[in-house]
Amino acid sequence: MKKNTFYILSGCIALVLLAVFWYSVEVHNPLFIEIAFVIGILIAYLARKKVTDLIEDERSTKITEQAVLRTFQIFWVGFCAFSIGAVMQILYVPQFPREFFFTRQPEIISPRMMGYFQLGLLCLTIFLYVGFRMYYARKYGEWETDEE
Amino acid sequence: MKNKIKVFRAMYDLTQEDLAQAIGVTRQTILAIEKGKYVPSLELAFRIARYFKVNIEEVFTYDEESRTVDEK
Protein backbone atom coordinates (compact mmCIF):
# COMPACT_ATOMS: atom_id res chain seq x y z
CA MET A 1 0.00 0.00 0.00
CA LYS A 2 1.23 3.47 -0.87
CA LYS A 3 1.64 6.18 1.74
CA ASN A 4 -1.01 8.40 0.17
CA THR A 5 -3.51 5.52 0.08
CA PHE A 6 -2.96 5.09 3.80
CA TYR A 7 -3.66 8.79 4.42
CA ILE A 8 -6.87 8.60 2.36
CA LEU A 9 -7.93 5.49 4.30
CA SER A 10 -7.23 7.29 7.60
CA GLY A 11 -9.41 10.19 6.46
CA CYS A 12 -12.21 7.76 5.53
CA ILE A 13 -11.97 6.08 8.94
CA ALA A 14 -12.24 9.48 10.64
CA LEU A 15 -15.33 10.34 8.58
CA VAL A 16 -16.98 7.00 9.38
CA LEU A 17 -16.20 7.49 13.08
CA LEU A 18 -17.76 10.94 12.94
CA ALA A 19 -20.90 9.46 11.38
CA VAL A 20 -21.05 6.68 13.99
CA PHE A 21 -20.57 9.26 16.74
CA TRP A 22 -23.49 11.26 15.37
CA TYR A 23 -25.59 8.08 15.19
CA SER A 24 -24.63 7.14 18.76
CA VAL A 25 -25.75 10.55 19.97
CA GLU A 26 -29.02 10.21 18.03
CA VAL A 27 -29.89 6.82 19.50
CA HIS A 28 -28.27 7.71 22.82
CA ASN A 29 -26.15 4.57 22.88
CA PRO A 30 -22.41 5.06 23.49
CA LEU A 31 -21.65 1.43 22.68
CA PHE A 32 -21.67 2.10 18.92
CA ILE A 33 -18.99 4.76 18.96
CA GLU A 34 -16.91 2.90 21.56
CA ILE A 35 -16.77 -0.28 19.46
CA ALA A 36 -16.36 1.68 16.21
CA PHE A 37 -13.48 3.68 17.71
CA VAL A 38 -11.57 0.54 18.70
CA ILE A 39 -12.22 -1.11 15.31
CA GLY A 40 -11.25 2.08 13.46
CA ILE A 41 -7.94 2.37 15.31
CA LEU A 42 -7.20 -1.33 14.75
CA ILE A 43 -7.82 -0.95 11.01
CA ALA A 44 -5.53 2.10 10.95
CA TYR A 45 -2.77 0.19 12.77
CA LEU A 46 -3.07 -2.81 10.44
CA ALA A 47 -3.13 -0.59 7.35
CA ARG A 48 -0.01 1.23 8.56
CA LYS A 49 1.85 -2.06 8.67
CA LYS A 50 1.00 -2.63 5.00
CA VAL A 51 2.47 0.70 3.87
CA THR A 52 5.53 0.01 1.77
CA ASP A 53 6.94 3.48 1.09
CA LEU A 54 6.63 4.94 4.58
CA ILE A 55 10.28 5.10 5.62
CA GLU A 56 10.62 5.09 9.37
CA ASP A 57 14.06 4.73 10.87
CA GLU A 58 15.56 4.83 14.34
CA ARG A 59 15.72 8.64 14.42
CA SER A 60 12.02 9.11 13.65
CA THR A 61 11.21 6.36 16.15
CA LYS A 62 13.27 8.16 18.77
CA ILE A 63 11.48 11.45 18.06
CA THR A 64 8.13 9.71 18.51
CA GLU A 65 9.27 7.93 21.69
CA GLN A 66 10.57 11.10 23.31
CA ALA A 67 7.46 13.08 22.38
CA VAL A 68 5.14 10.36 23.71
CA LEU A 69 7.16 10.02 26.92
CA ARG A 70 7.13 13.74 27.72
CA THR A 71 3.45 14.05 26.79
CA PHE A 72 2.55 11.15 29.03
CA GLN A 73 4.68 12.48 31.90
CA ILE A 74 2.64 15.70 31.90
CA PHE A 75 -0.72 14.22 30.93
CA TRP A 76 -0.98 11.53 33.58
CA VAL A 77 -0.37 13.99 36.43
CA GLY A 78 -3.15 16.33 35.32
CA PHE A 79 -5.51 13.53 34.37
CA CYS A 80 -4.98 11.61 37.61
CA ALA A 81 -5.31 14.75 39.75
CA PHE A 82 -8.66 15.57 38.17
CA SER A 83 -9.87 11.96 38.16
CA ILE A 84 -8.97 11.46 41.83
CA GLY A 85 -10.83 14.65 42.67
CA ALA A 86 -13.82 13.50 40.62
CA VAL A 87 -13.91 10.07 42.29
CA MET A 88 -13.60 11.74 45.68
CA GLN A 89 -16.68 13.84 44.88
CA ILE A 90 -18.66 10.81 43.68
CA LEU A 91 -17.74 8.88 46.83
CA TYR A 92 -18.36 11.86 49.07
CA VAL A 93 -19.89 10.45 52.23
CA PRO A 94 -18.96 12.55 55.26
CA GLN A 95 -18.00 10.38 58.20
CA PHE A 96 -17.17 13.15 60.62
CA PRO A 97 -19.04 16.21 61.82
CA ARG A 98 -18.89 18.43 58.76
CA GLU A 99 -18.48 21.66 60.66
CA PHE A 100 -15.20 20.40 61.94
CA PHE A 101 -13.64 20.26 58.44
CA PHE A 102 -15.78 22.44 56.18
CA THR A 103 -17.51 25.69 56.75
CA ARG A 104 -19.63 25.20 53.63
CA GLN A 105 -20.77 22.37 51.38
CA PRO A 106 -18.21 21.69 48.62
CA GLU A 107 -19.54 22.16 45.10
CA ILE A 108 -20.09 18.89 43.31
CA ILE A 109 -19.20 18.77 39.62
CA SER A 110 -21.75 16.75 37.70
CA PRO A 111 -20.51 13.48 36.12
CA ARG A 112 -21.37 14.97 32.72
CA MET A 113 -19.04 17.91 33.33
CA MET A 114 -16.34 15.51 34.51
CA GLY A 115 -16.67 13.64 31.22
CA TYR A 116 -16.39 16.86 29.22
CA PHE A 117 -13.37 17.95 31.21
CA GLN A 118 -11.62 14.63 30.73
CA LEU A 119 -12.40 14.73 27.01
CA GLY A 120 -10.94 18.24 26.96
CA LEU A 121 -7.80 16.98 28.67
CA LEU A 122 -7.46 14.24 26.07
CA CYS A 123 -7.80 16.79 23.26
CA LEU A 124 -5.22 18.98 24.99
CA THR A 125 -2.88 16.00 25.01
CA ILE A 126 -2.94 15.88 21.22
CA PHE A 127 -1.73 19.49 21.08
CA LEU A 128 0.86 18.72 23.75
CA TYR A 129 2.10 15.75 21.72
CA VAL A 130 2.31 17.79 18.52
CA GLY A 131 4.26 20.47 20.40
CA PHE A 132 6.74 17.98 21.84
CA ARG A 133 7.05 16.23 18.52
CA MET A 134 7.97 19.49 16.82
CA TYR A 135 10.46 20.24 19.57
CA TYR A 136 12.22 16.86 19.32
CA ALA A 137 12.05 16.84 15.53
CA ARG A 138 13.89 20.16 15.56
CA LYS A 139 16.34 18.87 18.18
CA TYR A 140 17.20 15.81 16.09
CA GLY A 141 17.62 17.77 12.89
CA GLU A 142 14.31 17.17 11.10
CA TRP A 143 14.31 20.51 9.31
CA GLU A 144 18.03 20.91 8.86
CA THR A 145 19.14 21.99 5.43
CA ASP A 146 22.33 20.90 3.87
CA GLU A 147 24.71 22.55 1.47
CA GLU A 148 24.76 19.61 -0.91
CA MET B 1 30.34 12.22 18.83
CA LYS B 2 32.23 13.39 15.77
CA ASN B 3 32.04 11.64 12.45
CA LYS B 4 33.58 11.65 9.01
CA ILE B 5 30.58 10.49 7.04
CA LYS B 6 30.75 13.49 4.78
CA VAL B 7 34.39 12.75 3.99
CA PHE B 8 33.65 9.10 3.22
CA ARG B 9 30.69 10.09 1.10
CA ALA B 10 32.91 12.37 -0.89
CA MET B 11 35.49 9.58 -1.28
CA TYR B 12 32.84 7.19 -2.56
CA ASP B 13 31.08 9.94 -4.54
CA LEU B 14 27.77 9.32 -2.80
CA THR B 15 24.89 11.65 -2.09
CA GLN B 16 23.11 11.58 1.25
CA GLU B 17 20.16 9.95 -0.49
CA ASP B 18 22.39 7.19 -1.93
CA LEU B 19 23.91 6.40 1.45
CA ALA B 20 20.53 6.58 3.18
CA GLN B 21 19.01 4.10 0.75
CA ALA B 22 22.00 1.80 1.00
CA ILE B 23 21.83 1.51 4.78
CA GLY B 24 18.05 1.75 5.10
CA VAL B 25 17.44 5.11 6.75
CA THR B 26 16.04 8.43 5.63
CA ARG B 27 18.19 11.11 4.03
CA GLN B 28 17.27 13.39 6.92
CA THR B 29 18.89 10.94 9.34
CA ILE B 30 22.18 11.00 7.43
CA LEU B 31 22.03 14.80 7.42
CA ALA B 32 21.28 14.92 11.15
CA ILE B 33 24.19 12.55 11.91
CA GLU B 34 26.58 14.55 9.75
CA LYS B 35 25.60 17.76 11.50
CA GLY B 36 25.93 16.18 14.93
CA LYS B 37 22.24 16.65 15.71
CA TYR B 38 21.64 12.95 16.13
CA VAL B 39 23.91 10.27 17.53
CA PRO B 40 23.22 6.98 15.75
CA SER B 41 22.70 3.71 17.56
CA LEU B 42 25.62 1.31 17.71
CA GLU B 43 23.95 -0.88 15.11
CA LEU B 44 23.49 1.97 12.65
CA ALA B 45 27.06 3.19 13.27
CA PHE B 46 28.32 -0.30 12.44
CA ARG B 47 26.16 -0.42 9.31
CA ILE B 48 27.64 2.86 8.12
CA ALA B 49 31.20 1.74 8.88
CA ARG B 50 30.65 -1.63 7.21
CA TYR B 51 29.26 0.08 4.15
CA PHE B 52 32.47 2.08 3.78
CA LYS B 53 34.48 -1.08 4.60
CA VAL B 54 36.30 0.54 7.52
CA ASN B 55 36.35 0.15 11.29
CA ILE B 56 33.78 2.07 13.26
CA GLU B 57 36.48 4.20 14.90
CA GLU B 58 37.53 5.49 11.51
CA VAL B 59 34.08 6.97 10.92
CA PHE B 60 33.04 7.88 14.45
CA THR B 61 35.18 9.32 17.21
CA TYR B 62 34.04 9.92 20.73
CA ASP B 63 34.52 13.51 21.73
CA GLU B 64 34.44 14.16 25.48
CA GLU B 65 33.70 17.85 25.08
CA SER B 66 30.82 17.58 22.66
CA ARG B 67 28.56 15.20 24.56
CA THR B 68 25.52 13.65 22.96
CA VAL B 69 22.50 15.77 22.17
CA ASP B 70 20.52 13.99 24.89
CA GLU B 71 22.94 14.91 27.63
CA LYS B 72 22.86 18.63 26.86
Side-chain angles (χ1 to χ4, degrees), chain A residues 55-60 62 66 138-148, chain B residues 6 9 15-16 25-29 31-32 35 37-38 40-41 44 69-70:
Chain A
I55 301 169
E56 196 174 46
D57 59 7
E58 59 173 53
R59 189 182 57 87
S60 57
K62 185 164 186 173
Q66 294 274 33
R138 188 172 166 271
K139 185 176 176 179
Y140 295 122
E142 184 70 31
W143 297 294
E144 288 286 321
T145 52
D146 57 343
E147 56 276 358
E148 239 185 7
Chain B
K6 204 168 186 173
R9 273 200 308 110
T15 63
Q16 289 173 341
V25 293
T26 59
R27 189 189 71 87
Q28 212 59 32
T29 297
L31 177 58
K35 291 210 164 192
K37 288 271 183 179
Y38 175 68
S41 68
L44 180 56
V69 179
D70 283 338

Side-chain angles (χ1 to χ4, degrees), chain A residues 7 10 12 16 87 105 109 136:
Chain A
Y7 290 142
S10 302
C12 291
V16 170
V87 168
Q105 179 81 14
I109 303 172
Y136 283 107

Side-chain angles (χ1 to χ4, degrees), chain B residues 6-65:
Chain B
K6 204 168 186 173
V7 177
F8 278 99
R9 273 200 308 110
M11 283 164 60
Y12 281 74
D13 194 23
L14 287 170
T15 63
Q16 289 173 341
E17 188 68 49
D18 294 336
L19 179 61
Q21 280 186 358
I23 57 172
V25 293
T26 59
R27 189 189 71 87
Q28 212 59 32
T29 297
I30 298 296
L31 177 58
I33 295 169
E34 280 185 4
K35 291 210 164 192
K37 288 271 183 179
Y38 175 68
V39 178
S41 68
L42 198 56
E43 191 197 336
L44 180 56
F46 267 108
R47 284 216 305 268
I48 293 168
R50 289 283 184 276
Y51 183 77
F52 291 124
K53 299 180 183 71
V54 291
N55 288 326
I56 196 165
E57 295 92 343
E58 290 178 61
V59 185
F60 296 95
T61 45
Y62 181 67
D63 184 17
E64 195 70 48
E65 285 176 12

Side-chain angles (χ1 to χ4, degrees), chain A residues 74-91:
Chain A
I74 293 173
F75 170 74
W76 86 269
V77 176
F79 196 80
C80 276
F82 178 78
S83 299
I84 291 165
V87 168
M88 187 278 296
Q89 290 205 353
I90 290 167
L91 299 176

